[in-house]
Amino acid sequence: QVQLAESGGGLVQAGGSLRLSCAASGSILRISDMGWYRRAPGKQRELVAGIRSGGSTNYADSVKGRFTISRDNPKKTMYLQMNSLKPEDTAVYYCNALITSSSGGVYYSDYYWGQGTQVTVSS
């Protein structure tokens, strides 16, 4: 069974940094697009940053220049380096990935979500 597990969240003061990790596990054949999303209290979930298998990236305007998304394909892990954090970055951060896996000789491709990790930025 494919699973995504985030880590690295926590409480930090404004201006500080955090690094989130998302590790994929299971019978994985291929990981295509990956991304970080967040949901702040009272708001809808939004895309923070995305990265394709070839390495191209995209960012929400609100985090450009402050956040950096990366991935380590052999380790099946994605990262989000968050610098110059602001109180408005407070949210639960989720990782998402399009994964091709196998089970019983059958291939499956589906989007998977992690359980989320809380990031709180104090002013």
Side-chain angles (χ1 to χ4, degrees), residues 17-75:
S17 299
L18 284 174
R19 188 192 195 207
L20 305 183
S21 299
C22 172
S25 61
S27 300
I28 296 171
L29 298 177
R30 173 182 168 83
I31 302 177
S32 303
D33 296 351
M34 303 183 80
W36 288 98
Y37 291 75
R38 68 186 180 188
R39 176 173 285 167
K43 294 187 177 181
Q44 290 187 334
R45 184 175 61 198
E46 62 172 348
L47 175 66
V48 176
I51 184 167
R52 291 175 173 77
S53 57
S56 61
T57 60
N58 59 283
Y59 296 91
D61 288 343
S62 59
V63 306
K64 282 181 181 177
R66 301 188 297 123
F67 291 10
T68 302
I69 189 172
S70 61
R71 60 192 287 172
D72 185 329
N73 290 329
K75 292 184 178 180

Side-chain angles (χ1 to χ4, degrees), residues 57-94:
T57 60
N58 59 283
Y59 296 91
D61 288 343
S62 59
V63 306
K64 282 181 181 177
R66 301 188 297 123
F67 291 10
T68 302
I69 189 172
S70 61
R71 60 192 287 172
D72 185 329
N73 290 329
K75 292 184 178 180
K76 300 183 179 66
T77 301
M78 174 178 63
Y79 305 96
L80 185 67
Q81 178 66 44
M82 304 186 295
N83 299 327
S84 302
L85 283 161
K86 304 175 181 180
E88 51 264 42
D89 294 317
T90 295
V92 178
Y93 284 71
Y94 300 89

